[in-house]
Amino acid sequence: MSLKYESIIKQMSLEEKALMMSGKNTWETVDFEKYGIPSMAMSDGPHGLRRQAGAGDHLGLNASLPATCFPTAASVANSWDETLGEEIGTALAEEAVTMDVNVILGPGLNIKRSPLCGRNFEYFSEDPYHAGKMAAAYVRGIQSKGIAACPKHFAANSQELRRMANDSVVDERTFREIYTTGFEIAVKEGKAKSIMSSYNEVNGVYANENRHMLQEILVDEWGFDGYVVSDWGGSNDHALGVKNGSHLEMPGTGKSGMHDIVNAVKNGTLEESVLDQRLDELLRVIFATHQATVDGKGTTFNKEAHHKLARKAAEESIVLLKNEEQILPLKQGTKVAVIGDFAKTPRYQGAGSSLVNPAMPPESILEEIKDSGLTMTAYEQGYIRNRKPNAKLVKAAVDAAKNADVVLFFGGLDEISESEGLDRTHMHMPVAQDELINELTTVNKNVIVVLSAGSSVEMPWYPYVKGIVHGYLGGQAGASAMLNVLTGKVCPSGKLNETYPLHYEDTPAYAYYPSKERSSEYREGLYVGYRYYTTVGKKVRFPFGFGLSYTTFTYHDLAVDSEGVTFKIKNTGDVEGTEIAQLYIGKQSDTVFRPVRELKGFARVTLAPGEEKEVKISFDDKTFRFYDTRTDSWEVETGTYQIMIGSNAEEMLLEGSLAVNGTVTEGGYSRESLPEYFNGEIKNISDDTFRRLYGREIPDGSWSGEIRMNDAVCQLYYGKGIFGKLFYGVLRILLKISEWQGKPNLNVLFNYNMPIRGYAKMTGGFVTMKMAEALTEMANGHRIKGTAHLIKAAVKRD
């Protein structure tokens, strides 16, 4: 491939070229004034910009500039609205150019393999098609203003525990169909200019140096022409990463990364022509995004307009889960008792690197309810975040509930329950909240639970409450949006981006999540979320794609042809409403195992009372395909496919069929050798069965007893070195303090899950790889030798 910036690259020394492949600091790339190369600034921004005003840090410990806090991806995904996603992306970009940000590090679209992943609030869906379409919309919006989007984290990044020292062991078909399809859509349809690689290994190779992922799939197959950036601290062997398709390691590592590349070129393990190619690809984005921020200098964004957009996004994303006896919407003047700490201090965003400093004060229910038309008879806190039930608060809340027509309980998952760097250990809401809801239902039959959380929860109190409304994490305007839905000013239209099982034990990855020591084995295969529940007929609390409305809809007149499907939807209620129709495809086969149905399209349709519209959902290149490991390519099996239109993953309202002339006549699998994968009973997959699916020997992920450079700090407890054990002990104490305080300590969490070599990647060059090797020796009990090597490496540090 010819170099667009060959004239510049030819002037640069090997050291200068190598230096460009690591950050200048925490957020910016290296600039060279003499070559006219500007610095490129990156910022977290999946649901709002986090451009830090002072010294930069990855974890958000320092203050950031005010920016609009939109609902998180897990919230907006419930809208199933690609146009909305594009609007939010455009608004994010408008704010980015005013803050001199060239690249927005988002959206996040990892698959929700398990409800327990601490970062699920940042991700769109348990379904790759749904996630990919929403992500592509965000990317289009962001890049419409001349800056770059950066979908993340590529790929199979499903847990926070030991996230930088974890190997995702996943068969190729599952990897392609479930864990990379969303990224494929974001790249092909969104034309993403950058991609962030994930922390984890994929089948034994770190994502940031994985040639199969970064070259064979991303570039050769998808046609990606942007740059790949490591997640912060996620670079392992930087020279190998550059060789295999990565470009930029972040944050800056001083001159350590430069030396790695220079040495690799000099010893012949990295061709300089490959380095030139990577640099050219990086420069294309640097120059392409530079003008947008130049033009944006000195400008401001419209805070009020973006606040209104944030409210609109929250309104479309709210999901009505239960509405017994049509208790909602609440009539004007209804006497309501407001219960719950969340009503006063809202939980409106997640924690970690995505934490936004809101441009306008986050709304609270207590403030917004004054203009809602409801009559608030009392407010009681009811519970204290992250604390056991408080008898005094419970009594006050119960007494308030006795004197109201309706009880509005505001609760969900608190800050310590879900955060970057921390996975949940169960699906319960805090005990104080669950018990309080039960107490309230004994004195008032009209209890409505209003939830704020970034992921699914168990609901043991479900039978006893009249209504459940889920706002997820609704951003800075979430309170007014929720009250608009509760009072009927807005008809709810959101539908769930994930399944809500009855119990965590019901989830398909229950036996395999988060990991067995170093290996996270994806033995459930394709059966993630609804793909599992619908195939085996497992009862759930709420299926994927579920959501109620204040009106009703009927579906009829399905027609199927080779181009797609058409059908009609009618609003049979008395208020305007929006329905989200979902296209699912299935096929019975003796040679290709499949879930009973898979999402392959969707459409939002807004209808006035009595109005009817014809809806068309077209087929595309992903409708009938499966990944064939025999040919290492996508194929279509010849045969008859079931075409289903549903209002959620369980309720199919229209069904048809289509004969498809495919590319292969059979799929190459055998029911006899993989019976569990053909019937979906995947909760207890044996080693032999998984080995057959995986197609190779299952790696031994057990800890060796010796601490290695890529073992996490939390494993130091198992080492022989006293200093390592002491460091581990201190981190555990700090974590316990964080849990007691109810706020995640991001610095502690990052260190707890980071491998030892991470210190060479996150300290700006203060710690070198040689020094990290010495620390590893000390962790293994070689105190004298390790100390000597540490001192020697420190003296030689550039």
Side-chain angles (χ1 to χ4, degrees), residues 135-169:
Y138 271 66
V139 171
R140 287 193 297 269
I142 290 169
Q143 297 190 167
S144 69
K145 297 298 180 180
I147 62 174
C150 185
K152 63 184 185 183
H153 309 86
F154 187 59
N157 179 218
S158 304
Q159 68 182 61
E160 291 297 286
L161 179 66
R162 296 187 297 273
R163 59 185 182 172
M164 298 168 75
N166 171 62
D167 183 13
S168 296
V169 181

mmCIF file of all heavy atoms in Angstrom, residues 135-169:
data_model
loop_
_atom_site.group_PDB
_atom_site.id
_atom_site.type_symbol
_atom_site.label_atom_id
_atom_site.label_comp_id
_atom_site.label_asym_id
_atom_site.label_seq_id
_atom_site.Cartn_x
_atom_site.Cartn_y
_atom_site.Cartn_z
ATOM 1 N N ALA A 135 -24.154 1.039 17.765
ATOM 2 C CA ALA A 135 -22.791 1.567 17.749
ATOM 3 C C ALA A 135 -22.499 2.295 16.448
ATOM 4 O O ALA A 135 -21.899 3.378 16.440
ATOM 5 C CB ALA A 135 -21.785 0.433 17.962
ATOM 6 N N ALA A 136 -22.899 1.722 15.325
ATOM 7 C CA ALA A 136 -22.667 2.365 14.029
ATOM 8 C C ALA A 136 -23.347 3.724 13.970
ATOM 9 O O ALA A 136 -22.810 4.675 13.387
ATOM 10 C CB ALA A 136 -23.175 1.467 12.898
ATOM 11 N N ALA A 137 -24.514 3.836 14.594
ATOM 12 C CA ALA A 137 -25.228 5.118 14.610
ATOM 13 C C ALA A 137 -24.432 6.156 15.394
ATOM 14 O O ALA A 137 -24.268 7.301 14.949
ATOM 15 C CB ALA A 137 -26.614 4.927 15.227
ATOM 16 N N TYR A 138 -23.941 5.783 16.557
ATOM 17 C CA TYR A 138 -23.102 6.693 17.330
ATOM 18 C C TYR A 138 -21.877 7.118 16.526
ATOM 19 O O TYR A 138 -21.507 8.298 16.505
ATOM 20 C CB TYR A 138 -22.631 6.022 18.625
ATOM 21 C CG TYR A 138 -23.542 6.188 19.822
ATOM 22 C CD1 TYR A 138 -24.820 5.632 19.853
ATOM 23 C CD2 TYR A 138 -23.114 6.868 20.952
ATOM 24 C CE1 TYR A 138 -25.641 5.751 20.956
ATOM 25 C CE2 TYR A 138 -23.923 6.997 22.071
ATOM 26 C CZ TYR A 138 -25.191 6.443 22.076
ATOM 27 O OH TYR A 138 -26.002 6.574 23.165
ATOM 28 N N VAL A 139 -21.241 6.149 15.870
ATOM 29 C CA VAL A 139 -20.024 6.444 15.101
ATOM 30 C C VAL A 139 -20.331 7.444 13.987
ATOM 31 O O VAL A 139 -19.593 8.414 13.776
ATOM 32 C CB VAL A 139 -19.419 5.151 14.527
ATOM 33 C CG1 VAL A 139 -18.275 5.474 13.553
ATOM 34 C CG2 VAL A 139 -18.905 4.249 15.656
ATOM 35 N N ARG A 140 -21.424 7.228 13.267
ATOM 36 C CA ARG A 140 -21.786 8.160 12.190
ATOM 37 C C ARG A 140 -21.993 9.568 12.737
ATOM 38 O O ARG A 140 -21.555 10.562 12.139
ATOM 39 C CB ARG A 140 -23.054 7.679 11.481
ATOM 40 C CG ARG A 140 -22.847 6.475 10.581
ATOM 41 C CD ARG A 140 -24.051 6.244 9.678
ATOM 42 N NE ARG A 140 -25.256 5.948 10.427
ATOM 43 C CZ ARG A 140 -25.661 4.719 10.765
ATOM 44 N NH1 ARG A 140 -24.924 3.671 10.431
ATOM 45 N NH2 ARG A 140 -26.783 4.541 11.436
ATOM 46 N N GLY A 141 -22.679 9.671 13.872
ATOM 47 C CA GLY A 141 -22.916 10.980 14.459
ATOM 48 C C GLY A 141 -21.630 11.654 14.896
ATOM 49 O O GLY A 141 -21.395 12.836 14.608
ATOM 50 N N ILE A 142 -20.790 10.924 15.581
ATOM 51 C CA ILE A 142 -19.521 11.481 16.061
ATOM 52 C C ILE A 142 -18.670 11.955 14.897
ATOM 53 O O ILE A 142 -18.124 13.067 14.905
ATOM 54 C CB ILE A 142 -18.765 10.430 16.902
ATOM 55 C CG1 ILE A 142 -19.482 10.183 18.247
ATOM 56 C CG2 ILE A 142 -17.323 10.864 17.150
ATOM 57 C CD1 ILE A 142 -18.961 8.995 19.024
ATOM 58 N N GLN A 143 -18.564 11.138 13.868
ATOM 59 C CA GLN A 143 -17.649 11.447 12.772
ATOM 60 C C GLN A 143 -18.224 12.451 11.780
ATOM 61 O O GLN A 143 -17.506 12.954 10.919
ATOM 62 C CB GLN A 143 -17.193 10.151 12.099
ATOM 63 C CG GLN A 143 -16.414 9.269 13.061
ATOM 64 C CD GLN A 143 -15.723 8.069 12.442
ATOM 65 O OE1 GLN A 143 -14.892 7.454 13.070
ATOM 66 N NE2 GLN A 143 -16.051 7.716 11.214
ATOM 67 N N SER A 144 -19.505 12.793 11.950
ATOM 68 C CA SER A 144 -20.107 13.793 11.067
ATOM 69 C C SER A 144 -19.508 15.173 11.291
ATOM 70 O O SER A 144 -19.641 16.058 10.440
ATOM 71 C CB SER A 144 -21.623 13.854 11.299
ATOM 72 O OG SER A 144 -21.927 14.397 12.583
ATOM 73 N N LYS A 145 -18.846 15.366 12.419
ATOM 74 C CA LYS A 145 -18.241 16.663 12.734
ATOM 75 C C LYS A 145 -16.728 16.667 12.522
ATOM 76 O O LYS A 145 -16.036 17.575 12.984
ATOM 77 C CB LYS A 145 -18.573 17.055 14.184
ATOM 78 C CG LYS A 145 -20.064 17.258 14.442
ATOM 79 C CD LYS A 145 -20.623 18.400 13.601
ATOM 80 C CE LYS A 145 -22.099 18.611 13.849
ATOM 81 N NZ LYS A 145 -22.658 19.714 13.045
ATOM 82 N N GLY A 146 -16.227 15.647 11.848
ATOM 83 C CA GLY A 146 -14.822 15.654 11.477
ATOM 84 C C GLY A 146 -13.865 15.066 12.483
ATOM 85 O O GLY A 146 -12.645 15.090 12.267
ATOM 86 N N ILE A 147 -14.389 14.550 13.590
ATOM 87 C CA ILE A 147 -13.505 13.888 14.541
ATOM 88 C C ILE A 147 -13.721 12.380 14.447
ATOM 89 O O ILE A 147 -14.554 11.906 13.673
ATOM 90 C CB ILE A 147 -13.729 14.398 15.971
ATOM 91 C CG1 ILE A 147 -15.149 14.090 16.442
ATOM 92 C CG2 ILE A 147 -13.441 15.884 16.067
ATOM 93 C CD1 ILE A 147 -15.364 14.441 17.900
ATOM 94 N N ALA A 148 -12.968 11.616 15.237
ATOM 95 C CA ALA A 148 -13.002 10.160 15.123
ATOM 96 C C ALA A 148 -13.715 9.532 16.306
ATOM 97 O O ALA A 148 -13.577 9.978 17.450
ATOM 98 C CB ALA A 148 -11.587 9.610 15.016
ATOM 99 N N ALA A 149 -14.479 8.491 16.018
ATOM 100 C CA ALA A 149 -15.028 7.634 17.062
ATOM 101 C C ALA A 149 -14.083 6.460 17.254
ATOM 102 O O ALA A 149 -13.286 6.126 16.372
ATOM 103 C CB ALA A 149 -16.420 7.136 16.667
ATOM 104 N N CYS A 150 -14.194 5.816 18.415
ATOM 105 C CA CYS A 150 -13.303 4.693 18.722
ATOM 106 C C CYS A 150 -14.093 3.593 19.425
ATOM 107 O O CYS A 150 -14.088 3.494 20.661
ATOM 108 C CB CYS A 150 -12.146 5.170 19.614
ATOM 109 S SG CYS A 150 -10.898 3.911 19.936
ATOM 110 N N PRO A 151 -14.812 2.750 18.661
ATOM 111 C CA PRO A 151 -15.525 1.628 19.281
ATOM 112 C C PRO A 151 -14.578 0.778 20.120
ATOM 113 O O PRO A 151 -13.430 0.571 19.750
ATOM 114 C CB PRO A 151 -16.066 0.851 18.071
ATOM 115 C CG PRO A 151 -16.166 1.876 16.983
ATOM 116 C CD PRO A 151 -15.003 2.803 17.207
ATOM 117 N N LYS A 152 -15.093 0.275 21.249
ATOM 118 C CA LYS A 152 -14.263 -0.483 22.183
ATOM 119 C C LYS A 152 -15.117 -1.526 22.896
ATOM 120 O O LYS A 152 -16.348 -1.421 22.896
ATOM 121 C CB LYS A 152 -13.611 0.474 23.178
ATOM 122 C CG LYS A 152 -14.602 1.246 24.075
ATOM 123 C CD LYS A 152 -13.902 2.238 24.961
ATOM 124 C CE LYS A 152 -14.871 2.906 25.921
ATOM 125 N NZ LYS A 152 -14.233 3.924 26.763
ATOM 126 N N HIS A 153 -14.530 -2.548 23.488
ATOM 127 C CA HIS A 153 -13.121 -2.944 23.553
ATOM 128 C C HIS A 153 -13.023 -4.235 22.747
ATOM 129 O O HIS A 153 -13.704 -5.208 23.069
ATOM 130 C CB HIS A 153 -12.691 -3.192 24.988
ATOM 131 C CG HIS A 153 -13.043 -2.050 25.930
ATOM 132 N ND1 HIS A 153 -14.280 -1.961 26.557
ATOM 133 C CD2 HIS A 153 -12.356 -0.954 26.324
ATOM 134 C CE1 HIS A 153 -14.303 -0.871 27.320
ATOM 135 N NE2 HIS A 153 -13.142 -0.240 27.196
ATOM 136 N N PHE A 154 -12.205 -4.246 21.735
ATOM 137 C CA PHE A 154 -12.131 -5.303 20.726
ATOM 138 C C PHE A 154 -11.132 -6.367 21.182
ATOM 139 O O PHE A 154 -9.936 -6.130 21.154
ATOM 140 C CB PHE A 154 -11.687 -4.664 19.407
ATOM 141 C CG PHE A 154 -11.698 -5.563 18.207
ATOM 142 C CD1 PHE A 154 -12.863 -6.180 17.792
ATOM 143 C CD2 PHE A 154 -10.547 -5.788 17.480
ATOM 144 C CE1 PHE A 154 -12.884 -6.990 16.663
ATOM 145 C CE2 PHE A 154 -10.545 -6.598 16.351
ATOM 146 C CZ PHE A 154 -11.715 -7.203 15.947
ATOM 147 N N ALA A 155 -11.598 -7.522 21.591
ATOM 148 C CA ALA A 155 -12.943 -8.084 21.644
ATOM 149 C C ALA A 155 -12.966 -9.184 22.710
ATOM 150 O O ALA A 155 -11.941 -9.525 23.298
ATOM 151 C CB ALA A 155 -13.336 -8.676 20.296
ATOM 152 N N ALA A 156 -14.181 -9.779 22.910
ATOM 153 C CA ALA A 156 -14.404 -10.820 23.922
ATOM 154 C C ALA A 156 -13.931 -10.354 25.288
ATOM 155 O O ALA A 156 -13.295 -11.089 26.036
ATOM 156 C CB ALA A 156 -13.723 -12.138 23.523
ATOM 157 N N ASN A 157 -14.279 -9.122 25.617
ATOM 158 C CA ASN A 157 -13.912 -8.493 26.887
ATOM 159 C C ASN A 157 -15.146 -8.528 27.777
ATOM 160 O O ASN A 157 -15.986 -7.648 27.702
ATOM 161 C CB ASN A 157 -13.436 -7.060 26.615
ATOM 162 C CG ASN A 157 -13.046 -6.293 27.859
ATOM 163 O OD1 ASN A 157 -13.304 -5.110 27.961
ATOM 164 N ND2 ASN A 157 -12.421 -6.964 28.801
ATOM 165 N N SER A 158 -15.273 -9.551 28.605
ATOM 166 C CA SER A 158 -16.547 -9.830 29.267
ATOM 167 C C SER A 158 -16.500 -9.736 30.783
ATOM 168 O O SER A 158 -17.518 -9.939 31.430
ATOM 169 C CB SER A 158 -17.034 -11.239 28.886
ATOM 170 O OG SER A 158 -17.131 -11.384 27.492
ATOM 171 N N GLN A 159 -15.341 -9.465 31.358
ATOM 172 C CA GLN A 159 -15.261 -9.379 32.811
ATOM 173 C C GLN A 159 -14.256 -8.317 33.211
ATOM 174 O O GLN A 159 -13.348 -7.973 32.466
ATOM 175 C CB GLN A 159 -14.863 -10.727 33.416
ATOM 176 C CG GLN A 159 -13.428 -11.158 33.103
ATOM 177 C CD GLN A 159 -13.076 -12.521 33.670
ATOM 178 O OE1 GLN A 159 -13.701 -13.516 33.304
ATOM 179 N NE2 GLN A 159 -12.099 -12.557 34.547
ATOM 180 N N GLU A 160 -14.441 -7.787 34.419
ATOM 181 C CA GLU A 160 -13.525 -6.798 34.974
ATOM 182 C C GLU A 160 -12.477 -7.439 35.879
ATOM 183 O O GLU A 160 -11.366 -6.951 35.999
ATOM 184 C CB GLU A 160 -14.308 -5.737 35.740
ATOM 185 C CG GLU A 160 -15.157 -4.842 34.848
ATOM 186 C CD GLU A 160 -14.301 -4.041 33.885
ATOM 187 O OE1 GLU A 160 -13.632 -3.079 34.309
ATOM 188 O OE2 GLU A 160 -14.278 -4.391 32.685
ATOM 189 N N LEU A 161 -12.836 -8.522 36.537
ATOM 190 C CA LEU A 161 -11.895 -9.224 37.400
ATOM 191 C C LEU A 161 -10.680 -9.693 36.599
ATOM 192 O O LEU A 161 -10.812 -10.385 35.601
ATOM 193 C CB LEU A 161 -12.580 -10.427 38.056
ATOM 194 C CG LEU A 161 -11.693 -11.272 38.974
ATOM 195 C CD1 LEU A 161 -11.281 -10.471 40.208
ATOM 196 C CD2 LEU A 161 -12.414 -12.556 39.375
ATOM 197 N N ARG A 162 -9.495 -9.283 37.031
ATOM 198 C CA ARG A 162 -8.233 -9.646 36.362
ATOM 199 C C ARG A 162 -8.314 -9.385 34.860
ATOM 200 O O ARG A 162 -7.843 -10.166 34.046
ATOM 201 C CB ARG A 162 -7.871 -11.107 36.635
ATOM 202 C CG ARG A 162 -7.596 -11.408 38.089
ATOM 203 C CD ARG A 162 -7.081 -12.825 38.290
ATOM 204 N NE ARG A 162 -8.040 -13.831 37.911
ATOM 205 C CZ ARG A 162 -8.979 -14.324 38.702
ATOM 206 N NH1 ARG A 162 -9.094 -13.881 39.940
ATOM 207 N NH2 ARG A 162 -9.814 -15.255 38.291
ATOM 208 N N ARG A 163 -8.912 -8.264 34.509
ATOM 209 C CA ARG A 163 -9.211 -8.004 33.098
ATOM 210 C C ARG A 163 -7.958 -7.894 32.236
ATOM 211 O O ARG A 163 -8.019 -8.100 31.028
ATOM 212 C CB ARG A 163 -10.035 -6.725 32.976
ATOM 213 C CG ARG A 163 -9.356 -5.476 33.545
ATOM 214 C CD ARG A 163 -10.273 -4.282 33.498
ATOM 215 N NE ARG A 163 -9.632 -3.079 34.001
ATOM 216 C CZ ARG A 163 -10.159 -1.876 33.928
ATOM 217 N NH1 ARG A 163 -11.339 -1.713 33.368
ATOM 218 N NH2 ARG A 163 -9.535 -0.824 34.407
ATOM 219 N N MET A 164 -6.810 -7.554 32.836
ATOM 220 C CA MET A 164 -5.574 -7.432 32.071
ATOM 221 C C MET A 164 -4.713 -8.686 32.185
ATOM 222 O O MET A 164 -3.597 -8.730 31.662
ATOM 223 C CB MET A 164 -4.782 -6.215 32.559
ATOM 224 C CG MET A 164 -5.534 -4.899 32.372
ATOM 225 S SD MET A 164 -4.773 -3.510 33.255
ATOM 226 C CE MET A 164 -3.360 -3.171 32.204
ATOM 227 N N ALA A 165 -5.237 -9.687 32.871
ATOM 228 C CA ALA A 165 -4.480 -10.927 33.062
ATOM 229 C C ALA A 165 -5.408 -12.116 32.868
ATOM 230 O O ALA A 165 -5.375 -13.091 33.604
ATOM 231 C CB ALA A 165 -3.855 -10.956 34.457
ATOM 232 N N ASN A 166 -6.241 -12.011 31.845
ATOM 233 C CA ASN A 166 -7.287 -12.998 31.626
ATOM 234 C C ASN A 166 -7.294 -13.428 30.168
ATOM 235 O O ASN A 166 -7.160 -12.600 29.267
ATOM 236 C CB ASN A 166 -8.638 -12.377 32.004
ATOM 237 C CG ASN A 166 -9.808 -13.237 31.608
ATOM 238 O OD1 ASN A 166 -9.955 -14.356 32.078
ATOM 239 N ND2 ASN A 166 -10.642 -12.711 30.722
ATOM 240 N N ASP A 167 -7.452 -14.716 29.938
ATOM 241 C CA ASP A 167 -7.489 -15.268 28.583
ATOM 242 C C ASP A 167 -8.909 -15.707 28.253
ATOM 243 O O ASP A 167 -9.465 -16.591 28.907
ATOM 244 C CB ASP A 167 -6.532 -16.464 28.495
ATOM 245 C CG ASP A 167 -6.456 -17.061 27.100
ATOM 246 O OD1 ASP A 167 -6.932 -16.422 26.145
ATOM 247 O OD2 ASP A 167 -5.916 -18.184 26.968
ATOM 248 N N SER A 168 -9.510 -15.083 27.241
ATOM 249 C CA SER A 168 -10.836 -15.483 26.779
ATOM 250 C C SER A 168 -10.675 -16.678 25.839
ATOM 251 O O SER A 168 -10.194 -16.539 24.716
ATOM 252 C CB SER A 168 -11.520 -14.323 26.049
ATOM 253 O OG SER A 168 -11.745 -13.245 26.916
ATOM 254 N N VAL A 169 -11.075 -17.832 26.311
ATOM 255 C CA VAL A 169 -10.945 -19.073 25.547
ATOM 256 C C VAL A 169 -12.284 -19.326 24.863
ATOM 257 O O VAL A 169 -13.249 -19.765 25.485
ATOM 258 C CB VAL A 169 -10.547 -20.246 26.468
ATOM 259 C CG1 VAL A 169 -10.388 -21.524 25.666
ATOM 260 C CG2 VAL A 169 -9.260 -19.922 27.218
#
